[in-house]
Amino acid sequence: MASISREKIQSLVELQTVEADIRRVETLLAGTPVKVAAVTLEVEAFEATLAEEDGQLQAVQKAYREQEREAQVALAQIRKSNERLATVKTNKEYQLILKEIDDLKRKNSLIEDEMLACLDRIEAADAAVKQKKAQVLALRQTADRQKAEIERETQQLTAQLTDLAQAGREAARAVDPILLECFRRVQEQVKQRAVAPVVDAVCQGCHLNIPWQLFNELHRFDELTFCPHCRRIIFCQEEEKA
Ligand SMILES: [Zn+2]
């Protein structure tokens, strides 16, 4: 077994701490695109609803214009029929044209009713679109602020990562080479923290009890010791003095 000392273990713990910080910052940075996408998606969803409502408004406006045209045609026909009234020769013809005018007036009245209903719908749709436009505007501003905030965070994290990487290289250099090799091997096996303190004979890596004899030996910091359960490098952690 490789010889060990409190200091050697301490350098290993420091390396592990820095590396855990690096992983934490890397995870945060990896989440950045997801955060930006979520913000963008919310705005886009709202913009899509606005476009839909705007489309509905335009459809009602178009229907209104068509009714307006129909009403004009009906009025022109009424005018023409009135002109014809002056030129008719027989009473029968006169009655026929009067009936025609009557029908046209009824038709025109129906169109006008539809136009009024249309105007109500236009008013409501226009108000809804205006409200939604204001909401979209506010949402875009919020999204821009959030994106700027994410961008600031990303820059901070990137700078932090650069510092941590440097600290990690220094911490690795401070570890005894044989111990470092062993540490890397265990890291490969456990995929997590490779060095764990033992408190009250409990390995803090796997939370299982280690034999008391082994625990007693740990206090001496004589040789490199592994947890019999999880194979992590273990060391005795002095109890915190209150
Ligand atoms: Zn363990």
PDB file of all heavy atoms in Angstrom, residues 203 206 227 230, ligand 1:
ATOM      1  N   CYS A 203     -18.647   5.347   6.136  1.00  0.00           N
ATOM      2  CA  CYS A 203     -18.087   5.906   4.897  1.00  0.00           C
ATOM      3  C   CYS A 203     -19.100   6.890   4.334  1.00  0.00           C
ATOM      4  O   CYS A 203     -20.258   6.538   4.136  1.00  0.00           O
ATOM      5  CB  CYS A 203     -17.805   4.777   3.894  1.00  0.00           C
ATOM      6  SG  CYS A 203     -17.535   5.380   2.205  1.00  0.00           S
ATOM      7  N   CYS A 206     -20.568   5.808   0.613  1.00  0.00           N
ATOM      8  CA  CYS A 206     -21.653   4.823   0.425  1.00  0.00           C
ATOM      9  C   CYS A 206     -22.560   4.732   1.652  1.00  0.00           C
ATOM     10  O   CYS A 206     -23.552   4.014   1.631  1.00  0.00           O
ATOM     11  CB  CYS A 206     -21.074   3.457   0.101  1.00  0.00           C
ATOM     12  SG  CYS A 206     -20.059   2.779   1.434  1.00  0.00           S
ATOM     13  N   CYS A 227     -12.558   1.912   1.059  1.00  0.00           N
ATOM     14  CA  CYS A 227     -13.782   1.432   1.708  1.00  0.00           C
ATOM     15  C   CYS A 227     -14.031  -0.001   1.248  1.00  0.00           C
ATOM     16  O   CYS A 227     -13.993  -0.272   0.042  1.00  0.00           O
ATOM     17  CB  CYS A 227     -14.960   2.332   1.313  1.00  0.00           C
ATOM     18  SG  CYS A 227     -16.551   1.680   1.834  1.00  0.00           S
ATOM     19  N   CYS A 230     -17.523   0.310  -1.090  1.00  0.00           N
ATOM     20  CA  CYS A 230     -17.628   1.035  -2.369  1.00  0.00           C
ATOM     21  C   CYS A 230     -16.274   1.235  -3.037  1.00  0.00           C
ATOM     22  O   CYS A 230     -16.227   1.756  -4.148  1.00  0.00           O
ATOM     23  CB  CYS A 230     -18.322   2.381  -2.147  1.00  0.00           C
ATOM     24  SG  CYS A 230     -17.358   3.555  -1.166  1.00  0.00           S
TER      25      CYS A 230
HETATM   26 ZN    ZN B   1     -17.894   3.382   1.064  1.00  0.00          ZN
END
